[in-house]
Amino acid sequence: MKRVNQILSIVALGLFTITAQACNEKNTKKETATASTEVTENKLPDHSSGVEQTETIPADVKTGEFTIKAGAVLETLYFNTDAKNFASIAKEYGKEVAKNGGQLVAQFEVVKKSTERPVTHIAIVQWTNLAGYAKVASSSAFAKAKKSLIDVGFFGAQQDTPVVFRDDKIYDFTSAWTIATAPEQMPVIMQVMQTYFGKIGPVMGKYGIAQTAFVGPHPGAPKTSATAYTPQMMGIFQWNDINDPKKFQNDPDFTAHVDIRDAVMSKMEFIYTKAIL
């Protein structure tokens, strides 16, 4: 069976391709900037591999797939609990979501992280119509989930994006904040990042990094006290092995250029996971 790990090139404030997994973990201690979420039309090319990557998936590998719909809201829930309780939460919450027009599209178990947040599992719910969200937020299923829930983020994409997850890969949830404090600052940051990608693109290709999805804050997301997680950018990147991100970060061809990116980033966070399929 063949699958294409699509390399995106859509770029906007909170929605541009960034080599998030390439960041040294020391960046997680930097102060978070409070930047605007207003969308700009500036775009950056994606240099993560130069071409789409097509590979044959072995027959014994489990896969899961869905399409991030343009304009849909991705409710991303971060939990601190054990595997058994998370499975129960996901089952009950997923049923409640489905009854009200949403879909629980993906679940992950954390295997390594750079953040001090005590996250153990991640779930993603897609809402193409938020009419039913209020009912779910007031349900007993959500009340149960909140007991183990540490953060919720609401993200979105500007184009339909097919996503394929595999049980033999590592998925890196990378969040980033820039130093921008106003929308008019973003074009300058975009130019800096364009230079950065031009420098490290070949290094990414050497490690075969595949970007599975990239999203930014959704301007139409529901306002709720549970919404505590608001990075300007969030990407999901696929790696072959849990040790590969560190090898990439230590590569001299990457470290020679990382200061370009660090000049415009205030904080980056990495959560490495395995898909639950």
Side-chain angles (χ1 to χ4, degrees), residues 5-203:
N5 294 318
Q6 296 195 338
I7 306 302
L8 309 181
S9 60
I10 296 298
V11 182
L13 174 56
L15 184 61
F16 64 89
T17 306
I18 178 172
T19 318
Q21 69 274 46
C23 175
N24 294 321
E25 295 181 357
K26 65 179 181 180
N27 289 338
T28 61
K29 298 180 181 179
K30 294 183 180 179
E31 181 180 359
T32 300
T34 55
S36 167
T37 57
E38 180 178 333
V39 174
T40 72
E41 293 302 320
N42 298 284
K43 295 187 177 183
L44 285 173
D46 174 30
H47 297 286
S48 54
S49 72
V51 295
E52 289 187 343
Q53 299 176 339
T54 302
E55 66 177 306
T56 299
I57 300 178
D60 61 343
V61 171
K62 293 181 180 179
T63 63
E65 57 187 289
F66 76 100
T67 296
I68 298 175
K69 297 293 186 180
V73 175
L74 291 183
E75 177 189 6
T76 306
L77 304 99
Y78 297 82
F79 293 90
N80 179 16
T81 188
D82 58 46
K84 183 177 180 180
N85 189 48
F86 176 73
S88 176
I89 289 171
K91 183 177 180 179
E92 292 183 31
Y93 191 64
K95 287 182 178 179
E96 190 67 27
V97 165
K99 286 195 306 183
N100 289 280
Q103 182 183 10
L104 176 62
V105 293
Q107 303 172 52
F108 303 86
E109 178 183 8
V110 175
V111 295
K112 186 179 179 180
K113 57 189 176 72
S114 68
T115 176
E116 294 182 357
R117 293 194 302 140
V119 57
T120 61
H121 296 82
I122 298 173
I124 300 177
V125 170
Q126 179 160 246
W127 296 93
T128 53
N129 186 333
L130 280 175
Y133 177 79
K135 293 181 180 179
V136 173
S138 61
S139 69
S140 59
F142 186 69
K144 177 180 178 179
K146 284 185 67 175
K147 294 178 181 179
S148 303
L149 192 61
I150 61 171
D151 281 320
V152 180
F154 293 96
F155 302 94
Q158 294 181 337
Q159 68 178 26
D160 285 0
T161 308
V163 178
V164 176
F165 295 115
R166 300 170 45 164
D167 70 351
D168 64 336
K169 301 290 184 179
I170 295 295
Y171 293 94
D172 166 11
F173 282 73
T174 297
S175 299
W177 294 256
T178 76
I179 62 173
T181 57
E184 57 268 23
Q185 295 175 321
M186 286 308 298
V188 175
I189 289 178
M190 297 282 190
Q191 291 174 6
V192 172
M193 293 303 294
Q194 188 168 30
T195 298
Y196 167 70
F197 286 125
K199 297 288 187 181
I200 60 89
V203 191

Side-chain angles (χ1 to χ4, degrees), residues 238-259:
Q238 178 180 288
W239 297 82
N240 289 330
D241 183 84
I242 190 60
N243 297 312
D244 285 347
K246 195 67 175 180
K247 293 177 182 177
F248 177 77
Q249 293 166 12
N250 291 331
D251 190 308
D253 292 333
F254 164 71
T255 58
H257 307 296
V258 69
D259 286 348

